[in-house]
Amino acid sequence: MSFVLHQSGRTFFRGIIAPPKFLMFDAYYCCLMAGLYARTIGSLQDLEPDVFVNGYPDDFKRQSDIIAGLLVDAELDRKGIQPEDRASIEREMVKLVDPTSPTRLNGEGNKLLNLYAAAGFALIQDKMMPPTTIEDFLIAYHRYWHDPTNSSGA
Amino acid sequence: MDLRVLGWRYENIRGGLRDVSISLDSSPGRWTLIQMPNGTGKTTTMSLLRAVFSGEALTPQEVYDLRAADITETGLFELRMSVNNKPFRIQLRLDFKNRTHQYWTARSEVRSGGLEEGISLPKELKRLLSRDFTRLFVFDGELAKEIRTVGKDRAANAIRILYRLDHLDMLNIKVGRLVEEQQQRSAAISTATERRGVARGKRQYETVVTRRTALETEQKELQKRRKEMEGRKTTVAALISGRIDQDEALRKRKEQLERERQNIDLSLLEAGHQGMSSLRVPAKIHPGIQQRLVALGGKLTHLKLPKTISVEFFKELAEQQDCVCGRPVTELIKRAILERAENYLAEDQILVINQMKAALRESSADPEEFTRVATQLASILRQLRLNTTAHDQLELERVEAGDTELEHLRQENQQLERDLDTTAQKIEKLTTRDPARQRALSASSENNIPLCDIEVKRCQEKLATATNTLRFVLQSECVKTLVSKISALAQLRLTERVRIATNEKLAQIVPSESLRVSRIGGALELESRQLSSKTGVSEGQSLAVAYAFLTSLLTEAPYKLPFIVDSPAVSLDTAVRRDVGDLIPELFDQMIMFVISSEREGFADAFYQREGVRYITLWRDGEDVTQAREGLEYFRSFHQREGTE
């Protein structure tokens, strides 16, 4: 499983990347959650050319099933698959799941995850300034999720 | 590669070291304790050992300062050592009159056994023994402080050199040379027109490579300048604090604000940790995420997904002669079954979906937790702003009372902040890879290193096409990229390994303080439960960190080096001393420790029960000449005598 950032992500988050407190993967994950919730994907051109990390860091390994579930959920919605369409839902899961992968996702699932994260980054970048401290980011990220004017706001 | 110290000799060196020889035998013991009271040349010995190992050039003044007395004209320091069991003798010859010095080496490879000028150690070892690196194993307390100083690259560089990662850089340089040679050969057999094209391509390539080097130099200079400004900013902050302290009332208010600030920092750290824990659980980020997870789990349950029938069932069925309904499975039916079987999950996929379903069902989390933490963080940050404003107010009051020096310091501080901003912008313009930032900053190959790299590659390919070596160049680029990636990854993994080992040792040495290395960058960055980024570290703590780091760094390295240490326990608490005294001796194959009387308790006496320890005592006699005597009894009695003074 290879994770790739939005090509502007590294610059945007550079003020707070400080492992192990705030990993590059934390930045990716925050964008991913925003993208999956908004159910929009970015394009391959948005991504950095290189993989920044292979596999989930330890703190996220327990969330692999949940993240895979959120991807399936986003894809069902993005593709307009009806909630009762059992065959299509199963077909969609076949397309994304790989039992041998630690992330539960195959190459296609992996690629989609990166595209959702790229779209999420664009949404976040629209709504906040590059953070300079982790604390400021946490507050701004919380505000992002509760902003009724954006596509993720409740 | 195994390096051991066999002994050393002084002639006419300051500290009364007129004619003293220290011999550790041809197969030295594991531990040597050398008791040298203050004034007998302990610091001088450490400096001389470092100089001889690294072959560093001494300044005329440094040479002159090493003389034993005003009338002495020449002096000598000779180090005997073995490298992979082969003896070497290195002399530092000092001419005090002319303030010059020379290094000479005697080695077993030279048949005559005579001395040759310069330091003739094995090439690999010579490359390792730089001035900075030598300070890691000929170690004193000063390094313990420096190793934690931001801006010193010693920690990361040490890992790079010690584990031979610089060999990978050299491999890339060799690949580059091979490309050049191939291009020269190819150009030599071209026609005149082609040769002109090659010459033009080469000029363009060289121009852009020169520009790339200039940009890199500019980047280094800017980074150096930034470090200097950061250093000055710290100094200015201390000076400002000192000005406030001159007014008793303001000093008290300042101390009160600093106490408040410590509490705020602590609250901020705790809330930050909590915030990150909440953030890393999707269901806690927002109630909507949890609703979706529950809804998906419910949907899968409602639809009885995943189906219990798997792709394997249909594949097996397609191979049967008859279907379960009794009808024959023809070729046409077989193809249809196999085609549609792909819409079903495999057995192991079913297992995964079931795990996912279970995780979705169990994804319940407090959806308000993140909100609570964010609210708390906002409140703490408000307190922090108020505290900063109140602190600023103190400075303003003092300025208004007529402290012009403080006013100047404040102005300097503001200027430093502006300059740091400008420098950061310049560095960003030089280094950003982000296309959006490159556009925003009008970056081009003339002023941006990543864009210049692209231009270098383009010119290189153009030149390669002209010399018919494109394929060779592309292959060499693949090798170089791969080698660079291996190098970066190896550095990352080795650094992490050393960091983990350092923390394991720190947990042994200072278990009560939760002092840990959070990151090994240019320097060692610390954290403890009390502070997110530990800055106020005591001398003893620094020493404990340095020992833990150095032992982790050196013990697993492919080079076996002696560990020579000055006053190993002088700034440690007695309890910590005992732990250091128990832990460190086991980590090195050869340790030479210079001790003073105050280190007897807890440290030196921990060796008395050990086998194979050599004890040497140096002291100044009545004529101010340093003498040496060997043996535990004398070491202890001298020790005790001095200790009772």
Side-chain angles (χ1 to χ4, degrees), chain B residues 176-354:
Chain B
R177 279 196 203 125
L178 281 176
V179 170
E180 268 176 40
E181 283 168 19
Q182 184 71 14
Q183 287 179 336
Q184 275 166 8
R185 271 199 296 275
S186 183
I189 53 168
S190 306
T191 65
T193 317
E194 283 169 342
R195 276 201 295 275
R196 277 196 294 276
V198 169
R200 197 169 48 244
K202 205 170 173 194
R203 272 197 306 277
Q204 283 174 346
Y205 175 67
E206 282 167 358
T207 306
V208 76
V209 166
T210 307
R211 192 194 308 147
R212 170 70 172 77
T213 311
L215 291 176
E216 201 172 17
T217 308
E218 190 182 344
Q219 183 196 1
K220 280 182 186 159
E221 277 168 10
L222 284 168
Q223 283 167 336
K224 188 176 160 214
R225 175 87 188 108
R226 181 165 65 180
K227 280 172 192 165
E228 284 167 0
M229 285 192 285
E230 282 166 350
R232 177 62 191 160
K233 208 162 175 293
T234 309
T235 308
V236 169
L239 291 171
I240 289 175
S241 184
R243 299 302 303 175
I244 301 282
D245 288 349
Q246 287 182 5
D247 182 311
E248 186 60 16
L250 290 181
R251 184 181 64 77
K252 281 185 181 160
R253 279 168 57 199
K254 187 193 86 176
E255 285 171 356
Q256 175 63 26
L257 285 170
E258 281 171 352
R259 279 193 291 277
E260 279 174 27
R261 173 67 192 254
Q262 277 180 359
N263 290 333
I264 292 170
D265 284 344
L266 200 58
S267 309
L268 204 56
L269 181 69
E270 279 172 14
H273 279 160
Q274 255 186 319
M276 285 307 297
S277 309
S278 301
L279 183 79
R280 287 170 176 170
V281 179
K284 288 185 181 177
I285 292 178
H286 189 267
I289 294 183
Q290 189 167 353
Q291 282 162 18
R292 286 197 185 167
L293 289 168
V294 172
L296 179 65
K299 192 189 291 177
L300 294 179
T301 307
H302 170 67
L303 295 175
K304 295 193 175 128
L305 280 171
K307 290 177 203 155
T308 48
I309 197 161
S310 69
V311 64
E312 285 85 356
F313 168 82
F314 291 107
K315 282 184 177 169
E316 209 175 301
L317 181 65
E319 298 304 321
Q320 303 300 315
Q321 284 189 335
D322 297 317
C323 178
V324 285
C325 61
R327 278 179 286 188
V329 178
T330 62
E331 267 307 306
L332 193 68
I333 291 173
K334 181 179 173 180
R335 271 204 305 277
I337 292 174
L338 286 175
E339 206 171 287
R340 290 176 195 182
E342 295 306 323
N343 291 335
Y344 288 80
L345 292 160
E347 277 167 8
D348 50 3
Q349 281 178 312
I350 292 172
L351 194 71
V352 168
I353 303 287
N354 275 326

Side-chain angles (χ1 to χ4, degrees), chain B residues 1 3 53-55 83 119-134 137 157-158 160-171 173-174 177 558-559 561:
Chain B
M1 188 161 280
L3 168 64
F53 274 124
S54 64
V83 179
I119 293 184
S120 305
L121 288 171
K123 207 170 152 191
E124 197 180 347
L125 188 62
K126 213 169 166 184
R127 200 168 53 234
L128 179 74
L129 297 178
S130 67
R131 186 174 177 272
D132 274 353
F133 186 81
T134 304
F137 70 94
N157 274 349
R160 194 157 186 82
I161 296 167
L162 195 57
Y163 289 90
R164 302 175 180 168
L165 296 184
D166 54 335
H167 284 215
L168 292 172
D169 302 335
M170 284 163 61
L171 183 61
I173 292 170
K174 278 184 189 166
R177 279 196 203 125
Y559 298 91
L561 298 166

Side-chain angles (χ1 to χ4, degrees), chain A residues 90-111:
Chain A
E90 182 157 77
R91 205 162 38 242
E92 204 51 40
M93 289 197 288
V94 172
K95 268 192 210 165
L96 302 172
V97 172
D98 175 5
T100 60
S101 158
T103 58
R104 311 293 193 217
L105 297 172
N106 58 21
E108 177 65 14
N110 187 176
K111 188 178 119 191

Side-chain angles (χ1 to χ4, degrees), chain A:
Chain A
M1 182 75 180
S2 311
F3 296 110
V4 186
L5 280 172
H6 188 283
Q7 58 184 359
S8 296
R10 208 174 283 269
T11 312
F12 185 83
F13 286 103
R14 70 181 161 187
I16 58 169
I17 301 293
K21 284 177 73 187
F22 196 94
L23 313 172
M24 191 69 85
F25 190 84
D26 280 310
Y28 174 89
Y29 161 82
C30 288
C31 298
L32 176 65
M33 288 298 116
L36 287 173
Y37 198 76
R39 288 162 174 168
T40 52
I41 58 169
S43 70
L44 284 171
Q45 287 78 26
D46 295 337
L47 301 178
E48 281 190 341
D50 295 322
V51 169
F52 76 92
V53 68
N54 280 304
Y56 285 132
D58 286 345
D59 284 335
F60 289 89
K61 282 180 181 159
R62 276 184 304 171
Q63 305 300 336
S64 58
D65 287 325
I66 296 289
I67 293 174
L70 284 169
L71 176 67
V72 169
D73 180 61
E75 279 295 278
L76 295 178
D77 189 80
R78 190 174 68 89
K79 292 185 174 169
I81 294 171
Q82 294 303 308
E84 299 296 324
D85 186 350
R86 194 170 180 234
S88 298
I89 293 173
E90 182 157 77
R91 205 162 38 242
E92 204 51 40
M93 289 197 288
V94 172
K95 268 192 210 165
L96 302 172
V97 172
D98 175 5
T100 60
S101 158
T103 58
R104 311 293 193 217
L105 297 172
N106 58 21
E108 177 65 14
N110 187 176
K111 188 178 119 191
L112 280 164
L113 218 55
N114 289 333
L115 295 179
Y116 274 107
F121 172 76
L123 292 169
I124 287 174
Q125 196 188 26
D126 267 358
K127 293 285 176 181
M128 63 173 93
M129 294 292 287
T132 52
T133 68
I134 295 170
E135 293 80 11
D136 281 334
F137 172 71
L138 288 170
I139 293 168
Y141 191 61
H142 175 266
R143 200 180 299 132
Y144 166 84
W145 277 94
H146 291 80
D147 179 356
T149 66
N150 71 41
S151 50
S152 291

